[in-house]
Amino acid sequence: MAPIEATRDLEDQRHYGAALSGRPGMTIFARRTLVLALNVVTVGALFGAMLSLFAPGGITLGEAGMLVAFSLTLPWLSIGVWNSVLGFLLDRRYGERAAAHVTPALARISGDEPITARVAVVMPLRNEDPDASIARLRRLEREIAHGPYADRFSFHVLSDTDNAGIALKEEARIAQWRAEQPQARIHYRRRTENTGYKSGNIADFLHGPDGECDFFLPLDADSEMGADTVLRLVRVMQASPETGMLQSLVTGLPSRSFFTRAFQFGMRHGMRSYTLGSAWWQADCGPNWGHNVLIRTAPFRAHCMLPVLPGRGPLSGPILSHDQVEAVLMRRAGYEVRVLAEESDSHEENPPSLVDFIRRELRWMNGNLQYVRLLGMPGLKPVSRIQLVLAILMYVSAPAWMAFILTGAGLAAGAAQPGAVSLTAGVLLFVLLITLSLCPKLMGLAQVLTDNRRSAAYGGRGRVILGGFAEILMSMLVAPIVALSLTRFAIGLCVGQRIGWNAQQRSRDRLRWDDAAGALWPQTLTGLALVVWLGAVAPWALVFAAPILVAMVGAIPIAVVSTMPALSRWSMARGLFDIPEDRQPTAPDAAAIRANSA
């Protein structure tokens, strides 16, 4: 790999510059040093500010606990701030060339190079809706079939379905597909055991006869990609033998649920700036989100097979969050992991309700916390270890935040508490923390508002501002609800609770009251208990705790109302939370595909 590494370093010198100073030739090491310094200073300053609030009256045991919890939330908060700020600066400086600036391999292609590699497009399924999922795969196959390179692609449905009725539907849809497209290379395989979950399913495919390909492209059941984006990824990978993974930026598909429309509106703006900024310093140690990513088959098969973690506890067994582990193993093998940090025809469906979103988060939390047992793997790059630590802290921060809040509520009973902390300093720090937590979304919104073309794609700046304001309010209501669910699950992990790999609920007309109550009653009871407690011992604290208390007490109606068809129709009619695809779908049959999955 030495020649490849040397080529990459030379290319870095030619293509990379400092986003802040504009000086050419800023190396990967220099960028990472800058980002490390920014984050160390930010974390230290925020911790020092919180410490200064408690220090004048002496730090009690409870306050020390709050400081520990607060410190655990800071790394994830800080990295989000600086990734998004850097992403905004890069976007303003380089515009449409920003993605190529952080991933120089994109500049190696003109877009008309022939496709010579053999590419397998794979979709693992487990008890998913065959109509919706296979329709998405068929759309990609149809688009590729219209070009000259259809013979370079094969399509594989890898079923782990154990529901006999769903399996029959899968087989029927595949048979229909083959009959209608006899020239296409369409494969279907169903395993009888879900060994290793999704990563095990793909591993079995790669070690079988159908896995003989140069690159493979995994898609989830809710993934959708266009041919132009796929062909671009393949061309870049062909021109970049040093690249083992090339991850596309994934955005949400148009949705009819108010909750999903709000969620993906905020996620889209947060991801755009965040991903561009992180790609600037992560460089060859980029992310893998497990789908909509092109992967070089030979090194993945040789170096990225996941271990089964020994033991019987909740952090043992098959690794649930396989994606980032595969990325760090690919980098350990000497291949780069890069990201296409720009919006393209690469999409996914997002959960249709708050309850479904929480269920997905719990599985990801279980998987990410398993990374604790992988930090000591030999040979990992330093940045790869940092990525694993950040992935862990992403799900530690929510329970830490909740511990901070609940401990603070307990300390509010102290008679001297209101005078022990400077009210002005406390309010200023609270406002600062809220602003910093929203920084990725704010930077993403700023990218749109400062660009006429982007603003027009969303329906104008006024619509963007209104949608951004409404989504921020929605996210502030949702955040405490999700945080308490993650906290309960973290406690459960400590006593042996674990989660399996079941099919996700990807579509529903609305969330029923009993479903919401069954999932969110702990939030309601916790919120009511806090209201009673603070009202009795510290009424002054109710004002400051109001946003959290409203979210907790109202968790069930918030979850239900945000999926009500009338509210969803209202938001669509007024264009609230519209994304560009809502206004100009990327494909003629996109609406039909969404209707099938709704």
Side-chain angles (χ1 to χ4, degrees), residues 339-553:
V339 63
L340 175 61
E342 65 182 16
E343 293 180 354
S344 61
D345 196 358
S346 178
H347 309 285
E348 66 177 347
E349 276 193 330
N350 288 306
S353 76
L354 176 57
V355 169
D356 299 307
F357 172 76
I358 288 173
R359 287 170 180 161
R360 188 181 72 173
E361 288 292 292
L362 296 183
R363 189 180 75 188
W364 287 357
M365 181 183 196
N366 195 163
N368 280 28
L369 293 183
Q370 287 179 303
Y371 295 171
V372 170
R373 304 189 58 184
L374 302 173
L375 293 174
M377 284 194 300
L380 295 186
K381 303 290 184 181
V383 172
S384 295
R385 295 193 197 276
I386 290 173
Q387 287 173 312
L388 293 179
V389 170
L390 288 173
I392 295 167
L393 289 176
M394 178 171 62
Y395 285 102
V396 169
S397 61
W401 179 44
M402 192 56 58
F404 179 87
I405 292 170
L406 295 178
T407 304
L411 294 179
Q417 188 65 24
V421 175
S422 167
L423 178 61
T424 301
V427 170
L428 289 176
L429 181 57
F430 174 77
V431 171
L432 175 62
L433 291 172
I434 292 296
T435 303
L436 293 178
S437 69
L438 295 173
C439 202
K441 294 179 182 181
L442 295 175
M443 292 296 102
L445 289 169
Q447 281 183 283
V448 175
L449 294 173
T450 55
D451 186 290
N452 292 331
R453 179 181 54 83
R454 283 178 178 155
S455 295
Y458 283 85
R461 289 182 173 86
R463 198 181 299 274
V464 173
I465 292 171
L466 180 61
F469 179 74
E471 189 280 326
I472 286 172
L473 290 180
M474 182 75 175
S475 67
M476 292 177 70
L477 288 174
V478 165
I481 301 171
V482 176
L484 186 61
S485 291
L486 294 175
T487 302
R488 290 183 62 234
F489 186 69
I491 295 171
L493 286 176
C494 295
V495 297
Q497 178 185 352
R498 64 189 306 160
I499 199 166
W501 192 289
N502 299 313
Q504 298 181 48
Q505 176 72 11
R506 302 190 190 273
S507 63
R508 62 164 88 229
D509 290 332
R510 62 186 298 172
L511 181 67
R512 294 178 6 177
W513 285 96
D514 56 341
D515 289 338
L520 302 176
W521 64 265
Q523 280 83 347
T524 303
L525 290 184
T526 301
L528 291 173
L530 284 172
V531 170
V532 172
W533 169 256
L534 292 176
V537 303
W540 59 269
L542 289 172
V543 176
F544 300 98
I548 295 171
L549 297 177
V550 169
M552 292 285 205
V553 173

Side-chain angles (χ1 to χ4, degrees), residues 239-323:
S240 309
E242 76 280 9
T243 302
M245 292 181 178
L246 184 57
Q247 174 69 64
S248 68
L249 181 61
V250 186
T251 58
L253 283 166
S255 172
R256 295 188 294 190
S257 161
F258 181 90
F259 171 82
T260 308
R261 287 171 60 82
F263 171 79
Q264 66 191 23
F265 185 87
M267 181 180 177
R268 181 151 186 164
H269 298 304
M271 284 290 291
R272 184 193 299 111
S273 58
Y274 181 97
T275 303
L276 185 60
S278 64
W280 183 74
W281 64 270
Q282 288 179 348
D284 50 16
C285 290
N288 171 26
W289 299 317
H291 58 92
N292 298 43
V293 54
L294 191 66
I295 302 175
R296 193 174 299 274
T297 303
F300 186 91
R301 184 165 47 210
H303 303 288
C304 300
M305 297 296 101
L306 300 186
V308 176
L309 300 177
R312 301 173 61 86
L315 302 184
S316 62
I319 297 171
L320 293 172
S321 294
H322 58 92
D323 36 23

